[in-house]
Amino acid sequence: MKSFRIQPLSSTLGVTNQYNSFTFKKINFTQRINNNNNNNNNNNNNNNNNNNNINKNSNNNKLKFLSSFLFNNQYNNINRINSDNNNNNNLIILNNSFKRTYSTSIVNLLSDLKEKILDKVENFEDKKKVDRDFILNKGDLNYYLEKLSKPKKSLPPPPTTERKDYSFEIHGTTVNDPYNWLKNTEDPKVIEYIENENKYKDRFTKAYVSPLSRKLRSVFKRVFIDHPDEDEIINGYKIVIKNKDLYRQRVSDGYTQLLLSNGEKIAGYEINLRDIMVFRFSRDNSLFSFVVEVDSSENKVCIVKNVSVPGAPVVDVIINCSSMEWGKNNELFYVEHDLTFHRSHKIFKKSIKSNIKLNDEKVNPSELMIYEENPSFYLDIYVPKDGQYIFYLSNCKLSTLIYYTKLDDNEPITCKSHKVMLSRVENLEYYAEHNGDEFYIFANANKGDLNIYKVRDTIENGKFSDLELFIPSEPQSMIRDVDMYKDYLVLNDMHKFQPRIRIIYKNPDTNRFDKSLEKIITFPHKIIELSMGVNGGYENNDSFFLSYCTPTQNVIPIKISLKDGTITKLGEPRESGPLIINPDSFETDILWVPSKSDPSIKIPLSICYNKQAVKFNGKTPCVLHGYGSYGTIYSLYYNIEDLFLMNAGFIVARAHVRGGGELGRTWYNDGKLLNKKNTFSDYIDCVEYLFENKYTSPNYLIGRGTSAGGLLMCNVALTHPHYFSGIISQVPFADVLTSMLDESLALTIHEYGEWGNPNNNKQVFDYIKQYDPYVLLDDPKIQSSLKSLPNLYITGSASDFRVPLWQPLKWVAKLRDKLKSLNGDNDAPLVILGINDDSGHFGPNDRNSLTKKWSFDLSFIFYSIKKSTTKKE
């Protein structure tokens, strides 16, 4: 109902730092089941997107694209905006050196000035020359390797920091943690160490990759993507983006109203459209509300405007609000977010009145509807499409509880109005929709895949046995999104790793949905990512909107007829610049890799490359992404960085290892808790498959992962260092054991369902030690092979609460200590740590910062391959 969410296509929580175009989208159905929304995961999110396959970032639900000014962005990655008004005391400003040392301030000032001058020079560079050089050298790896600098002298020794004795006893074991002190990020010595690491990265950049990095930036700055408008109409209005501003246009007479100007200042916040998480209209269309992230720590506020009068004045601002819904009579229900533990824990109701002084709680107080005291549970809120009820969700990793309240004009809603749909049962996670006089419940009982059940809407404190099975799950399938209309049920699911749309019709004799009346719509592409539209209108009987993209095709909006499944394309994005490609020149495929531990298990491996560039001689450069956590579907979709690499002759691949959701709930369960090591072995099986079939070889392979995927990268770097020329591990969850032992951390308790609780379970404690990268550094076998490490680029952010910066910091400090004996050795592995103070968990999202990030990441990849091939061949 009138619900829109601005999120990027195919995003997953913390999965990647790749960026794709934003879409407006409604609240994602699948996030309700795995509870991987933006509040619930320590390490994901993510990219991601995901792929909220059942989580925040994957199933994307509206197709109005913010055009060129958003550039390609995959997550709601937030820049710190309006720093003068940023009161987040937990935000650490790393670049403090100019406050203390005059000479250093001059150096930093000159460095910044030089960078600005270079940017200006790039703007004047001959655009035709940029395009011509890139086009002429497509697929020529040597062209890029030759752009790397040849410094006159090698880098100075990398920074190190001191060890401090710290240990504790648990389960009869002494745990030594000499870098525990780095967790105090306000300690001047910690700040100094961070600055030294950033300076070391800067020295490497200037010595080796600056010319190439600037060249790559000039290419990225020439990329322009403009997405087509669509015809989706919501309650008589179209939502329009024009000149970076947000409008609504009334279909009946064309009247157009400005809703929000990009960069508009409200209550001390500078609002950018790219930072809006979700927006809604009240039922009478007079009030417009939206939730926006206001800093890189993912703090959010809800802003309400009165759009029934000229100028659309702001009538309320609600801080620490993670989501909201409109009830009847202009009653706003919203979820309050606790900033200390990053948990959505309270739901309030507030009557929005235009004659009340802005945000005056004394005159117009909010009424508490529900308070969730259990620290492992998170609250959420939504209204089903028919608008008859409002649902309060209490989620954790192992169970769901839904409270429901009838939205009745005559009955006021109080804190005692809600009823429990199903009593909470461990290992029962579910989501509900409403149709007619029935609740349709999507449940994964006993940790299985989603079945669809139904029950009368009079149920209260029901049991699972009260439900009637409607549609059973299929093996290796996952329902990713749902739209329920009066006469049609639309499912977006993935079956054997192939997305499809299912339309289920009502039996005209019973006026009930009939599972035998089903139409299945498939797509011809081997790799495709589908994203459902908002599709407002419960009475809709015409068509519904969605979009798709492939690794070589940007987001394309389509509509599908509800009656016969006919697909109509609504346009294609307009693209210009050097990265324009012919999709027919590229091969996309899904390879099925046998698990070496159990050949009956086949691991899907998505792959894309330029047909002319790959010779199958083992000398093709390849970037292999990995994630494998939280049941996230880690799709290979259209991505600017990947597109550049494929143009340069690379293979780009994603290993869909266990712990992800690509093959259903069982695939997820087989890569979590005491099965977590399957995630790492699956990834290595994919690596060895690429080697055995001559796609690539160790000299040319780059591993890449973010967050929980960063954990994967740090692990395989230590256990199989000889398999890679370089690894990029972004915001890695690299210190699993001590994090999961520390319940004072914001998200630890909630994460027990993913990693286990090592505090009260020695088996979990011992198991985590077997794969934790921080612990593995104490293994003599690992230490003996450290000289074989690939080049490593590790990142962290001071404003990241999901994976605090001390995690990569501790791991790199400990790794450098183990590598000290190799300092000065020309063959010593390069370890670069970059800590940013304001990029958050998901990285930057403004165009300039993105192009800088992309250009450095790719320069590091080219450098690693050059160093590896020069040394080993």
Side-chain angles (χ1 to χ4, degrees):
M1 293 202 36
K2 307 175 191 170
S3 59
F4 304 80
R5 181 178 292 271
I6 297 183
Q7 284 183 355
L9 182 72
S10 300
S11 54
T12 49
L13 276 174
V15 171
T16 64
N17 242 347
Q18 329 299 335
Y19 298 86
N20 275 16
S21 304
F22 275 78
T23 68
F24 289 92
K25 68 180 227 187
K26 69 177 181 181
I27 282 190
N28 181 333
F29 147 68
T30 48
Q31 79 184 55
R32 314 297 183 184
I33 308 298
N34 275 0
N35 313 307
N36 294 339
N37 61 31
N38 61 326
N39 299 317
N40 296 6
N41 286 330
N42 189 11
N43 309 305
N44 11 20
N45 87 296
N46 145 182
N47 207 123
N48 329 242
N49 272 294
N50 206 234
N51 321 114
N52 280 359
N53 332 313
I54 301 187
N55 73 29
K56 165 187 171 182
N57 299 233
S58 137
N59 304 312
N60 323 292
N61 308 355
K62 161 98 177 122
L63 326 155
K64 173 65 69 171
F65 305 105
L66 311 187
S67 55
S68 59
F69 83 101
L70 287 180
F71 200 50
N72 282 355
N73 198 330
Q74 159 165 330
Y75 263 106
N76 297 305
N77 308 327
I78 311 304
N79 277 334
R80 184 194 308 161
I81 51 179
N82 198 3
S83 58
D84 291 339
N85 295 308
N86 191 332
N87 296 318
N88 182 0
N89 295 325
N90 295 321
L91 198 61
I92 302 162
I93 308 301
L94 301 179
N95 298 319
N96 288 326
S97 54
F98 59 85
K99 295 181 180 179
R100 300 195 300 270
T101 307
Y102 179 79
S103 59
T104 306
S105 72
I106 296 297
V107 171
N108 289 341
L109 181 63
L110 292 175
S111 177
D112 291 343
L113 181 60
K114 178 181 177 182
E115 190 66 30
K116 290 178 181 179
I117 292 173
L118 289 172
D119 284 343
K120 293 293 184 182
V121 171
E122 289 171 7
N123 290 336
F124 285 104
E125 188 172 356
D126 185 348
K127 296 178 181 180
K128 291 183 179 180
K129 182 178 184 301
V130 172
D131 291 355
R132 184 172 63 253
D133 286 351
F134 182 81
I135 292 170
L136 289 176
N137 293 284
K138 278 186 178 181
D140 185 359
L141 176 64
N142 289 327
Y143 171 77
Y144 299 99
L145 300 185
E146 290 169 358
K147 297 293 181 183
L148 294 165
S149 304
K150 297 178 181 179
K152 297 179 181 179
K153 57 181 180 180
S154 57
L155 285 174
T160 57
T161 192
E162 63 183 310
R163 298 165 53 95
K164 293 185 179 182
D165 290 339
Y166 175 80
S167 63
F168 58 91
E169 297 284 334
I170 185 170
H171 300 307
T173 302
T174 300
V175 177
N176 294 303
D177 189 1
Y179 295 100
N180 180 72
W181 68 278
L182 293 175
K183 294 171 71 172
N184 181 10
T185 51
E186 296 182 357
D187 185 333
K189 289 187 176 181
V190 176
I191 295 175
E192 180 183 11
Y193 175 53
I194 294 172
E195 291 173 347
N196 289 338
E197 287 287 1
N198 281 339
K199 289 175 185 176
Y200 186 71
K201 177 192 172 188
D202 291 342
R203 291 191 187 103
F204 164 76
T205 302
K206 293 173 183 177
Y208 290 95
V209 301
S210 282
L212 175 58
S213 181
R214 287 196 296 271
K215 187 73 176 177
L216 298 180
R217 282 167 59 189
S218 67
V219 172
F220 286 130
K221 288 181 177 181
R222 292 279 297 115
V223 176
F224 179 85
I225 302 170
D226 188 18
H227 293 281
D229 291 337
E230 311 140 43
D231 298 324
E232 186 170 3
I233 299 170
I234 310 296
N235 291 89
Y237 288 89
K238 287 183 183 180
I239 303 300
V240 179
I241 301 290
K242 185 177 181 181
N243 297 327
K244 305 182 183 180
D245 298 329
L246 182 66
Y247 298 82
R248 67 173 179 174
Q249 185 179 70
R250 193 159 55 215
V251 175
S252 61
D253 58 5
Y255 169 74
T256 302
Q257 180 183 20
L258 175 66
L259 298 174
L260 184 67
S261 298
N262 189 54
E264 184 174 336
K265 288 183 171 58
I266 299 176
Y269 302 106
E270 183 176 324
I271 309 301
N272 292 303
L273 264 62
R274 62 172 176 254
D275 298 337
I276 295 177
M277 302 295 295
V278 58
F279 65 85
R280 306 273 195 270
F281 292 95
S282 61
R283 296 190 173 217
D284 63 2
N285 280 313
S286 67
L287 296 169
F288 168 62
S289 60
F290 59 91
V291 173
V292 58
E293 287 189 349
V294 294
D295 61 37
S296 56
S297 294
E298 303 177 52
N299 295 323
K300 305 174 186 71
V301 300
C302 174
I303 296 172
V304 184
K305 285 187 160 193
N306 183 357
V307 292
S308 66
V309 299
V314 175
V315 295
D316 213 339
V317 176
I318 303 169
I319 63 172
N320 303 331
C321 173
S322 59
S323 62
M324 48 72 191
E325 289 281 0
W326 287 101
K328 294 187 176 181
N329 303 316
N330 289 345
E331 291 181 332
L332 183 71
F333 295 80
Y334 66 91
V335 183
E336 181 181 273
H337 192 70
D338 171 29
L339 293 182
T340 302
F341 292 99
H342 295 280
R343 185 173 74 93
S344 298
H345 63 152
K346 295 179 181 178
I347 295 177
F348 291 91
K349 182 193 75 172
K350 187 170 189 176
S351 179
I352 304 297
K353 301 175 181 178
S354 59
N355 61 342
I356 297 295
K357 184 179 179 181
L358 173 63
N359 207 26
D360 192 338
E361 280 288 324
K362 294 181 181 179
V363 177
N364 186 30
S366 299
E367 181 181 354
L368 180 65
M369 294 287 101
I370 187 170
Y371 170 47
E372 180 55 81
E373 297 185 32
N374 191 315
S376 65
F377 297 158
Y378 289 72
L379 293 178
D380 203 353
I381 187 172
Y382 72 101
V383 174
K385 193 180 288 288
D386 70 353
Q388 298 301 305
Y389 289 87
I390 188 163
F391 295 152
Y392 311 149
L393 282 74
S394 175
N395 292 326
C396 73
K397 292 288 184 183
L398 299 176
S399 65
T400 302
L401 183 67
I402 294 182
Y403 305 91
Y404 68 93
T405 300
K406 181 80 171 179
L407 291 174
D408 193 313
D409 288 323
N410 301 318
E411 293 292 330
I413 296 177
T414 71
C415 61
K416 297 181 180 180
S417 299
H418 54 264
K419 301 176 182 180
V420 173
M421 187 176 296
L422 298 177
S423 300
R424 189 186 294 275
V425 178
E426 189 168 325
N427 297 324
L428 174 61
E429 301 166 83
Y430 66 99
Y431 166 85
E433 282 286 349
H434 185 260
N435 185 282
D437 59 0
E438 293 178 313
F439 290 130
Y440 284 79
I441 296 175
F442 302 76
N444 56 4
N446 298 318
K447 299 184 179 180
D449 290 316
L450 287 181
N451 294 314
I452 305 177
Y453 302 86
K454 60 182 181 178
V455 69
R456 287 299 177 96
D457 58 15
T458 54
I459 190 172
E460 185 174 354
N461 288 313
K463 299 178 181 179
F464 185 71
S465 57
D466 295 331
L467 305 181
E468 176 187 349
L469 180 62
F470 174 47
I471 299 178
S473 63
E474 299 181 47
Q476 297 188 341
S477 294
M478 173 176 278
I479 298 175
R480 304 184 66 190
D481 206 353
V482 59
D483 258 334
M484 180 166 280
Y485 304 95
K486 182 179 179 181
D487 297 318
Y488 306 90
L489 172 60
V490 178
L491 303 176
N492 171 10
D493 76 356
M494 179 174 279
H495 178 60
K496 294 183 178 179
F497 203 52
Q498 289 298 309
R500 62 183 184 177
I501 296 294
R502 300 162 64 187
I503 305 175
I504 298 156
Y505 300 87
K506 280 188 174 179
N507 186 318
D509 297 330
T510 63
N511 199 31
R512 305 279 182 184
F513 287 116
D514 188 334
K515 63 184 178 183
S516 67
L517 302 176
E518 179 180 19
K519 180 178 291 293
I520 296 178
I521 302 165
T522 58
F523 297 81
H525 311 79
K526 291 182 179 179
I527 301 176
I528 185 172
E529 177 71 13
L530 300 181
S531 172
M532 298 281 281
V534 167
N535 296 313
Y538 178 67
E539 304 282 343
N540 180 21
N541 61 5
D542 181 20
S543 58
F544 62 97
F545 291 77
L546 67 156
S547 66
Y548 73 86
C549 73
T550 73
T552 57
Q553 291 178 294
N554 209 328
V555 183
I556 296 174
I558 60 176
K559 66 178 180 180
I560 297 179
S561 169
L562 283 166
K563 296 177 180 178
D564 59 18
T566 302
I567 298 175
T568 303
K569 186 183 292 189
L570 301 176
E572 296 188 6
R574 297 183 296 275
E575 302 176 339
S576 63
L579 291 183
I580 293 178
I581 66 167
N582 177 8
D584 294 336
S585 299
F586 290 79
E587 180 70 29
T588 60
D589 204 356
I590 298 173
L591 310 176
W592 294 90
V593 178
S595 166
K596 293 190 175 179
S597 62
D598 183 353
S600 67
I601 295 174
K602 301 296 191 294
I603 306 157
L605 174 63
S606 297
I607 191 168
C608 187
Y609 55 86
N610 190 317
K611 297 174 185 177
Q612 296 180 342
V614 178
K615 306 301 181 185
F616 296 100
N617 60 2
K619 295 186 178 182
T620 302
C622 175
V623 174
L624 179 61
H625 299 262
Y627 188 70
S629 293
Y630 301 102
T632 295
I633 295 178
Y634 190 29
S635 300
L636 181 61
Y637 41 78
Y638 188 91
N639 173 273
I640 290 294
E641 281 185 286
D642 288 347
L643 192 61
F644 183 97
L645 289 169
M646 290 187 292
N647 268 308
F650 279 67
I651 295 170
V652 173
R654 274 174 170 73
H656 306 285
V657 297
R658 280 175 284 181
E662 289 86 351
L663 296 178
R665 185 74 179 197
T666 300
W667 195 251
Y668 169 40
N669 291 334
D670 285 347
K672 64 184 289 194
L673 297 172
L674 296 178
N675 295 318
K676 188 61 198 174
K677 289 196 291 184
N678 288 334
T679 300
F680 312 114
S681 61
D682 284 359
Y683 185 84
I684 293 302
D685 286 344
C686 290
V687 168
E688 292 176 346
Y689 182 90
L690 293 173
F691 293 164
E692 292 163 3
N693 290 276
K694 302 296 183 182
Y695 283 94
T696 190
S697 59
N699 290 358
Y700 294 91
L701 181 62
I702 302 292
R704 193 164 190 181
T706 296
S707 193
L711 158 64
L712 170 59
M713 292 301 110
C714 291
N715 176 283
V716 299
L718 297 178
T719 61
H720 294 77
H722 52 294
Y723 277 2
F724 305 90
S725 66
I727 281 180
I728 298 178
S729 179
Q730 297 170 141
V731 292
F733 186 37
D735 187 12
V736 183
L737 184 63
T738 59
S739 296
M740 299 311 298
L741 287 170
D742 187 355
E743 294 186 354
S744 69
L745 297 177
L747 301 176
T748 292
I749 294 175
H750 182 72
E751 289 293 300
Y752 285 154
E754 185 73 20
W755 310 96
N757 184 351
N759 284 298
N760 60 19
N761 190 320
K762 187 176 187 300
Q763 185 182 12
V764 171
F765 175 83
D766 291 336
Y767 188 81
I768 290 177
K769 287 173 63 179
Q770 296 175 40
Y771 68 79
D772 183 342
Y774 189 73
V775 177
L776 287 178
L777 284 170
D778 293 321
D779 185 334
K781 183 179 178 181
I782 295 294
Q783 293 176 10
S784 66
S785 63
L786 288 181
K787 187 174 180 178
S788 301
L789 275 178
N791 293 327
L792 298 175
Y793 175 40
I794 315 296
T795 72
S797 173
S799 55
D800 184 354
F801 74 86
R802 299 173 187 271
V803 179
L805 73 89
W806 50 260
Q807 294 229 14
L809 198 65
K810 284 179 62 180
W811 189 73
V812 169
K814 191 173 183 179
L815 175 61
R816 291 209 188 282
D817 180 62
K818 305 299 182 183
L819 289 171
K820 277 193 299 189
S821 62
L822 298 179
N823 285 347
D825 187 336
N826 290 332
D827 290 333
L830 173 72
V831 180
I832 297 293
L833 174 62
I835 300 290
N836 193 300
D837 64 342
D838 62 356
S839 61
H841 187 69
F842 302 117
N845 72 345
D846 66 285
R847 184 183 179 103
N848 190 51
S849 297
L850 277 173
T851 56
K852 288 182 179 179
K853 177 197 176 302
W854 292 341
S855 60
F856 180 84
D857 291 355
L858 298 189
S859 296
F860 176 83
I861 289 173
F862 286 117
Y863 171 84
S864 297
I865 291 174
K866 182 174 183 178
K867 182 179 179 183
S868 183
T869 54
T870 302
K871 179 174 65 174
K872 298 176 182 177
E873 290 191 340

